[in-house]
Structure formats: C-alpha cells, structure tokens
Amino acid sequence: MEELPLEQVRTLLAAVDEGTFDAAAAALHVTPSAVSQRVKALEQRTGRVLLMRTKPVRPTESGEVVVRFARQLARLERDARAELGIADDRGPARLPIAVNADSLATWFLPALARVPQDPPICFELHREDETHTTALLREGKVMAAVTSSPDPVAGCTVRRLGLARYLPVADPGFAARHLTGPLERDLREAPVIVFDRRDDLQDAFVRSLTGDGTGASRARHHIPTSEGYCDAVVAGLGWGLVPEPQAVPLLRSGALTLLAPDRPLDVPLFWQQWKLDSPALAVAAAAIAEAAAEALLTPG
C-alpha cells in the first residue's frame, strides 16, 4: 500500500468525529467539496471503502484502522510538541478511556486522582460493559480500556489488573418472600436486577449453581447505573450481584443479606492500551495499575 497522506488521514478523522462532511469542513476551515475529495482520494489510495455515507458518517472496518492511526498520530504530535516546548493551543492532553460502570463507581476515580497533573491531563471516560470496552479500542475511540478480555486488540498491549469480586445479595424481606427453598431453583424464578440487556453476570452465576445452562429468571429489572443497581437491590426489587466494596457496608448494616456465602463471582479485569510512546498514557497506566493492585483481588 502506498503511504497515507497525513492531510487525507486527518480529514477522515475529522469527518468521523464531526459526523458530516459539512461539519468536518467547518472544523478544518476548508470546503465540503475538499473534504469529500480527500476522503475519496484516500479510499482510492488504500483500495478500500473507509466511510459509510450515513448521517452521521461511520467508518467501515478498514476505516476504523485509519481512524485509530489518525488518533495515534495526533497523540504523538501533541507529545512531541510538549517535549519540544512548543505551545499547543489545543489545551491540555486529552486521554479517552473506556471503563465499566462498576469500576467507575468503586476504585477507578481514585486511581485517576493519582495521575500527576504536570503537565495537565484531561480524562474523557466512556462507560461501557467490561466485555465490550475493547470494541471502542478497535474503533479508535479510546486509547485505553478496562476490559475482561486478556486477548489484546491489534496494536495494543494488555496487562492483568486483578479480580473484581461480586456478591450475590438481596434485601432480607425479598429473600424471605422469594428465596425459601434451594437457591439454584429459586433464582430461576425470582425477580432479578440486571444492568442492561448485555449484562450476563447474573445468568452466569445461576448457571454456575445449576450446571445445566439455565440462567436467571426472565422477570428482570434493567437498572443501567452502578449506584442505581445497588439501590434497586436494597429496595427489594430483585436479587443481584453487587460489587464487594458496595455490598460489604450494606451487609454489615443488615440492609442486604448474602445468598451464597461460599459462592462469590470473580471477574478478571485487564488494562489494554495503544502501543504508543506517550508520556500521558504511561503515567495514567502506572497510576491505574497501582490502584488496581490495592483495590482488586490477586488471582490465587
């Protein structure tokens, strides 16, 4: 493949970020026709369709590769300017990270507070389930992600952070009404709290009890925030798996009861990041790994 003209690469990124050729043209201070011509020229050079001309425009699988390259290039340019002492009128370094809601609600924000702020770094967090955060890495939308996948995305490195422990809990009154017999039987029928339609945690827990592939009840409430999820379990709407740091104080106070004391569910978490020699990314990764080592369990 011929080398990629940087002007065309940056134009493709602008189109993806702005959503339309007109908006990209305004951001780049060129005409919409110039944006269209540059994108077409880049597609001809690569021999691939890079953008789906929808509203907003979306990158194809090949386009995602170029978008990721464009973001990495922008990151390297910013870091080089900083090291050379050249003023950058785009403001502080921006670090987009994908993280799951439970990590965000428990240990992740204190981890970010440890990141040195000289020079300043602005975090742009994308909340996504840990089983899907790698998709944002592939699309080039984030530079790093907390994920449950140990398999590195192309162009990324991976390191183990630790185990996030979840406890199966319920309001005592709910347990007295719905969970009076064998747990593996009752959890197939009792109302359950799930984060969203992609949340498989509760089903995985029930399958670990039954051993027959049967998941949790179809009577389920969808509560798409970590704090709201915990509140819904405390309110007695259903049972659920609550992160240990959130569950322990409520168990001590009697607001929740533990359903299976010897059956916690441990979810491995990993840190994936671009293979990029970026000082901002390096210091953030170090602080996050340090905080994770303190907050998460070490695999035994």
Side-chain angles (χ1 to χ4, degrees):
M1 184 177 69
E2 300 179 48
E3 68 178 50
L4 303 179
L6 300 186
E7 183 181 70
Q8 296 174 8
V9 168
R10 292 186 176 112
T11 300
L12 180 77
L13 177 61
V16 170
D17 284 347
E18 300 298 331
T20 66
F21 285 4
D22 286 348
L28 296 173
H29 306 291
V30 298
T31 66
S33 176
V35 171
S36 178
Q37 290 171 12
R38 290 177 187 177
V39 172
K40 287 180 181 177
L42 187 58
E43 289 179 324
Q44 291 171 353
R45 186 174 289 266
T46 59
R48 293 172 173 84
V49 175
L50 302 176
L51 280 185
M52 290 182 279
R53 270 66 166 178
T54 53
K55 287 192 175 181
V57 298
R58 292 187 295 125
T60 62
E61 186 174 344
S62 296
E64 289 173 358
V65 175
V66 180
V67 166
R68 186 165 63 246
F69 167 68
R71 294 197 195 283
Q72 292 173 343
L73 185 67
R75 176 74 267 165
L76 287 171
E77 180 182 2
R78 179 187 289 273
D79 289 341
R81 292 175 67 90
E83 289 186 34
L84 292 170
I86 300 174
D88 192 333
D89 58 7
R90 291 172 293 182
R94 185 179 64 88
L95 196 58
I97 302 172
V99 59
N100 60 307
D102 290 332
S103 292
L104 192 58
T106 52
W107 64 272
F108 196 76
L109 290 180
L112 295 186
R114 299 185 180 193
V115 178
Q117 286 293 319
D118 185 20
I121 302 171
C122 290
F123 301 107
E124 180 183 301
L125 300 185
H126 298 249
R127 190 186 65 186
E128 183 57 272
D129 183 83
E130 66 272 10
T131 60
H132 295 89
T133 49
T134 52
L136 299 180
L137 275 172
R138 291 190 188 91
E139 295 167 6
K141 292 182 178 179
V142 299
M143 296 174 64
V146 175
T147 173
S148 60
S149 174
D151 302 318
V153 171
C156 293
T157 61
V158 60
R159 74 165 77 173
R160 181 185 291 271
L161 293 175
L163 299 174
R165 173 159 289 183
Y166 290 80
L167 302 179
V169 294
D171 162 65
F174 176 90
R177 293 191 303 274
H178 295 279
L179 307 173
T180 57
L183 194 61
E184 62 270 20
R185 182 200 69 192
D186 290 347
L187 291 186
R188 296 175 177 179
E189 301 176 0
V192 62
I193 311 296
V194 296
F195 190 84
D196 57 25
R197 284 175 172 78
R198 295 191 295 188
D199 180 8
D200 186 55
L201 210 58
Q202 284 64 224
D203 292 310
F205 176 74
V206 175
R207 287 194 295 268
S208 75
L209 295 179
T210 63
D212 62 3
T214 303
S217 168
R218 295 179 64 183
R220 50 187 64 195
H221 303 285
H222 297 83
I223 311 293
T225 70
S226 186
E227 296 84 354
Y229 183 101
C230 187
D231 291 343
V233 176
V234 171
L237 289 177
W239 72 275
L241 285 153
V242 173
E244 187 175 50
Q246 292 176 313
V248 167
L250 296 167
L251 289 168
R252 288 174 179 163
S253 70
L256 291 177
T257 186
L258 190 58
L259 303 182
D262 58 341
R263 298 295 293 267
L265 185 64
D266 293 335
V267 176
L269 294 179
F270 301 86
W271 174 258
Q272 293 206 35
Q273 68 177 62
W274 288 352
K275 292 179 181 176
L276 200 64
D277 186 16
S278 166
L281 185 55
V283 296
I288 289 165
E290 179 184 338
E294 298 172 6
L296 303 177
L297 299 176
T298 302

